[in-house]
Amino acid sequence: NDITMSSTTTSHTLTSEDASATCRNPKVQDALIYDVQILHRLKKRNYAQQHSAQYYKRMTMALKCIDRYNLTSLPTRLLEAQTLALHVSKNNINNSTHNLMNVLKRLYKAVVEHIPECVRRIHYAASALFETMSNGYFLPFCTVVAAALARVRLLLIQIGEDVIAEYHVMVRTVQDAVNAHSNNDGQLVLREFFAGSHMN
């Protein structure tokens, strides 16, 4: 279930409407933040009683992964990239192009590395939670945690798919800007952006 970047391009053209709708569901970021907050509250309130349990430790590992990569801000970072791409498409090579390249590289890494890692952590925690529930222990706590983790997993995958859908559109915007700028500065920008083979 890990998310990987597709090499398929699309004919979609970046517009101002794209920059105003970062996800299919505009409330997806709020939902992700809310569920992560629920998990943090459950973790804090149940520390004394359950901190040594395997399911509690694995839940903590999943939360640390999400917090470390700041995945709750991913829709905001996508909006930033779309806004920069609009500037690049209008002004060709400028400071916005370099900023867009940096944002795109971070988005790429979030989708192909960070989200899959967090999803694996969630699966790891879920196996311990289901095992505990099958034995009839701590059912209220484990049920709520399992449900929240399931929602977080779904939201992360949805956000990742939204990023993928716009990624190639914005990459093509950079290419078009460079192609329109035929001097050495434009070629330098192109080589800099595609320095890593993963960006091809």
Side-chain angles (χ1 to χ4, degrees), residues 160-181:
E161 290 174 348
D162 291 332
V163 173
I164 290 171
E166 296 299 326
Y167 175 82
H168 290 293
V169 176
M170 291 184 284
V171 167
R172 193 171 63 252
T173 298
V174 173
Q175 290 176 309
D176 291 343
V178 170
N179 291 336
H181 205 280

Side-chain angles (χ1 to χ4, degrees), residues 68 72 110 200:
R68 179 167 64 249
T72 55
N200 293 321

